[in-house]
Amino acid sequence: MQIASKELSAVEMVKTALEKAKAAQEKYSVFISLNKEAALKRAAEIDGKIKNGENPGRLAGVPYALKDNFLSKDGNTTAASKILEPMKSPITATSVKKLEDEGAIMIGRTNLDAFAHGSSTENSYFGPTKNSKDAARVAGGSSGGSAVAVALDIVQFATGTDTGGSIRQPASFNGVYGFKPTYGTISRYGVVAMASSTDCVGFFANSAEDIDLLMSITAGQDPYDMTTLPDYYGADFTRGDALRGPAGPEPQASGSDGRYNATAPWDAEGRRPTGPRKIGVIKDFDIKGDIKDALDKKIKDLKSKGYEIVELEMPTLKYALAVYYIVVPAEISSNLSRYDGIRYAYRNSSAKSLDEVYGKSRSDGFMPENKRRIMIGNFVLSSGFYDAYYLKAQKARTLIIKEYEEAFKKCDFILSPVTPNPAFKLGEKTDDPVSMYLEDVMSVPINLAGLPSLAFPVGETKDGLSLGLQLIGPRRSDKALLDFAGKELK
Ligand code: GLN
């Protein structure tokens, strides 16, 4: 991460980022709003600190982009929707506050699928963001703007949220790193809720090392988010079982069982000195073409470095997509019920009765995909169908969680594609929601199980489209996973 110093002022860094943001906007539609005045003011404050010899923070003057579903007192938080377009937040998200306390400077709010519902950023009320490698293709979603902001080198990092793949998929469509932490690692206080049992805050950046730094700043328990885990990120583990962490189940000694020892120092060749290290590959996914070639190449590379590849049979993963598209809409229908035209932002001004205020405001304010999910959610939760859909999906979810637990007894990390194909064309899937949902088949199982996963770039197709893979770890292995990726996956 390039931070401000006596030689490179924060004001210069912010000005450059704002210029790049403006220049890219017309072609790529990356931002919903820019934060020019406040950003320049903060940059001048950081430069003042540097001049006076005060500590300017670990992210001093680093311009960053904020996905527009994070609350902050700077600007409006629209969640890319009409219903929240006029939304001025009275609070700042915990994660945003932690970044800014270390001197990071938000230069703009990035585009997304409205309320983060989607895989292409085409569901935005403000129109789609375009892919950084080919503007006729989608940026991916829902955090499309954040991925493109990093890919075009406008900012050094951007925030995202990942409920079913919204960080990893756009990261791999644009050739950058994208990390979804273990569920509960970063506070979600001040983030517009989508599906509360899978929502995660995470980051886009240019390396695993940069993401590690961002994690060390933002991870941690927050009294305002009761799902946050007791602090574990970067904790000093003495038993050598950092993959599971001190509070994790079944701690195991390293070495004897062949587990990757994340706390041992790297040897002269940059390897961990203990035992064989095992990387799992899932047999059940049907992978073809460029993505298969990229996966095979990475497997070969890891083998040549001395890693053992373990083939995993995970037959319940094929149910993950169906489970996700029942559980998540159920939670969405509940979370979105608060937007009633009264308590937040937009209200239809022609409404004459209370029912009309609710109905017309919601009808105008939500995008079609939001409405589709509200309807599916209410349907699967309704008394006649609850047992057949919602309850059954939750049972299947438990089986998926157990299947991962078994898999991680056989390997340290799992290597997998993020998506079946590289970025598709704009408009290609907008009329066919199921084909859009199928994009998420390899990303959603990880969210259902609450696992950490890093999407990392692995080159391009012959047409210049980005290719990415993901590395998945057990719960709380976040630090070890990023550490491993920084050393071995470049
Ligand atoms: N594409 C997935 C969906 O539409 C994931 C979205 C997300 O992670 N926010 O639900």
Side-chain angles (χ1 to χ4, degrees):
M1 201 82 75
Q2 168 87 61
I3 64 167
S5 62
K6 282 198 173 121
E7 289 72 46
L8 178 63
S9 78
V11 169
E12 268 172 64
M13 286 168 76
V14 165
K15 274 191 178 156
T16 309
L18 284 164
E19 275 161 23
K20 285 184 183 173
K22 261 181 108 173
Q25 189 61 14
E26 197 181 330
K27 181 164 176 196
Y28 296 99
S29 208
V30 183
F31 291 91
I32 291 178
S33 59
L34 290 180
N35 190 35
K36 190 171 168 201
E37 267 137 56
L40 287 169
K41 188 164 162 265
R42 291 214 60 219
E45 284 165 17
I46 299 280
D47 285 337
K49 281 191 182 174
I50 293 173
K51 206 167 141 223
N52 296 334
E54 289 167 47
N55 176 7
R58 287 186 281 170
L59 297 172
V62 177
Y64 77 98
L66 189 68
K67 185 176 181 182
D68 203 12
N69 59 351
F70 283 71
L71 301 181
S72 138
K73 289 178 191 166
D74 288 328
N76 291 5
T77 300
T78 68
S81 70
K82 181 178 165 119
I83 204 159
L84 288 187
E85 190 184 9
M87 170 75 185
K88 272 235 153 288
S89 171
I91 61 155
T92 293
T94 301
S95 52
V96 172
K97 188 166 179 312
K98 285 183 168 182
L99 293 169
E100 299 196 345
D101 285 350
E102 290 289 346
I105 299 176
M106 192 265 278
I107 63 135
R109 291 167 165 279
T110 56
N111 198 14
L112 62 148
D113 288 296
F115 289 98
H117 304 172
S119 312
S120 68
T121 314
E122 291 169 296
N123 295 332
S124 167
Y125 175 59
F126 303 96
T129 296
K130 318 284 167 47
N131 188 282
S132 59
K133 302 288 158 55
D134 176 354
R137 291 178 184 265
V138 300
S142 65
S143 319
S146 284
V148 174
V150 174
L152 294 178
D153 200 27
I154 297 170
V155 285
Q156 296 184 58
F157 77 91
T159 68
T161 54
D162 193 311
T163 300
S166 277
I167 291 176
R168 291 160 289 146
Q169 187 250 27
S172 69
F173 278 10
N174 290 281
V176 298
Y177 286 78
F179 185 56
K180 172 224 172 295
T182 297
Y183 179 77
T185 302
I186 301 178
S187 168
R188 294 169 306 169
Y189 176 69
V191 178
V192 176
M194 177 177 164
S196 305
S197 79
T198 66
D199 285 348
C200 281
V201 168
F203 299 103
F204 295 90
N206 292 307
S207 68
E209 289 86 348
D210 280 357
I211 291 175
D212 173 39
L213 172 64
L214 298 166
M215 290 300 299
S216 68
I217 290 167
T218 51
Q221 203 159 17
D222 180 5
Y224 292 119
D225 177 354
M226 70 178 197
T227 64
T228 46
L229 293 167
D231 301 353
Y232 75 89
Y233 192 84
D236 184 16
F237 300 110
T238 49
R239 281 198 308 265
D241 58 353
L243 280 180
R244 287 178 186 277
E250 306 161 42
Q252 296 176 40
S254 66
S256 58
D257 65 346
R259 295 189 72 82
Y260 170 73
N261 182 346
T263 57
W266 297 98
D267 66 13
E269 277 89 59
R271 304 276 164 68
R272 297 289 186 198
T274 48
R277 290 132 307 170
K278 299 178 181 176
I279 306 296
V281 178
I282 302 163
K283 274 170 72 180
D284 310 67
F285 286 147
D286 181 24
I287 310 158
K288 296 188 200 78
D290 290 321
I291 305 271
K292 181 163 182 354
D293 295 346
L295 182 67
D296 289 347
K297 205 166 146 229
K298 190 48 80 182
I299 289 174
K300 223 173 129 198
D301 177 46
L302 285 167
K303 272 188 183 161
S304 76
K305 289 178 174 165
Y307 289 92
E308 189 185 328
I309 303 297
V310 181
E311 288 211 330
L312 301 168
E313 275 180 48
M314 302 189 70
T316 61
L317 285 195
K318 62 175 165 298
Y319 302 110
L321 192 75
V323 169
Y324 176 89
Y325 277 100
I326 291 172
V327 172
V328 165
E331 296 182 24
I332 287 172
S333 68
S334 165
N335 274 328
L336 294 193
S337 64
R338 73 190 66 168
Y339 306 112
D340 55 7
I342 293 176
R343 286 175 291 179
Y344 298 87
Y346 171 79
R347 178 182 305 172
N348 178 297
S349 56
S350 71
K352 296 205 172 52
S353 65
L354 187 61
D355 275 358
E356 267 188 34
V357 171
Y358 293 161
K360 287 190 171 176
S361 304
R362 285 168 69 82
S363 173
D364 295 351
F366 287 127
M367 297 297 283
E369 182 60 25
N370 307 138
K371 295 176 190 171
R372 184 176 296 121
R373 293 186 188 213
I374 291 170
M375 285 190 284
I376 295 172
N378 282 313
F379 179 78
V380 299
L381 289 173
S382 61
S383 58
F385 296 98
Y386 179 91
D387 288 1
Y389 292 102
Y390 184 75
L391 192 63
K392 201 167 190 179
Q394 290 291 23
K395 287 179 180 168
R397 180 181 188 171
T398 302
L399 296 177
I400 291 164
I401 294 169
K402 288 200 171 137
E403 194 164 84
Y404 276 113
E405 280 170 6
E406 288 306 309
F408 285 120
K409 288 181 185 160
K410 298 184 196 126
C411 63
D412 300 316
F413 300 117
I414 298 174
L415 183 66
S416 154
V418 181
T419 55
N421 299 295
F424 47 92
K425 294 224 169 80
L426 284 158
E428 194 180 316
K429 296 180 194 279
T430 36
D431 295 333
D432 184 358
V434 173
S435 78
M436 189 74 92
Y437 297 168
L438 282 168
E439 270 300 298
D440 305 330
V441 66
M442 293 164 192
S443 59
V444 299
I446 290 115
N447 298 75
L448 292 173
L451 306 172
S453 173
L454 176 75
F456 59 98
V458 286
E460 293 180 351
T461 68
K462 61 178 186 323
D463 304 325
L465 300 179
S466 298
L467 292 167
L469 296 173
Q470 60 181 333
L471 189 74
I472 305 149
R475 277 170 181 251
R476 296 191 181 87
S477 69
D478 305 45
K479 169 86 181 156
L481 193 152
L482 291 168
D483 191 12
F484 175 87
K487 288 278 181 188
E488 304 287 36
L489 295 180
K490 278 188 191 135

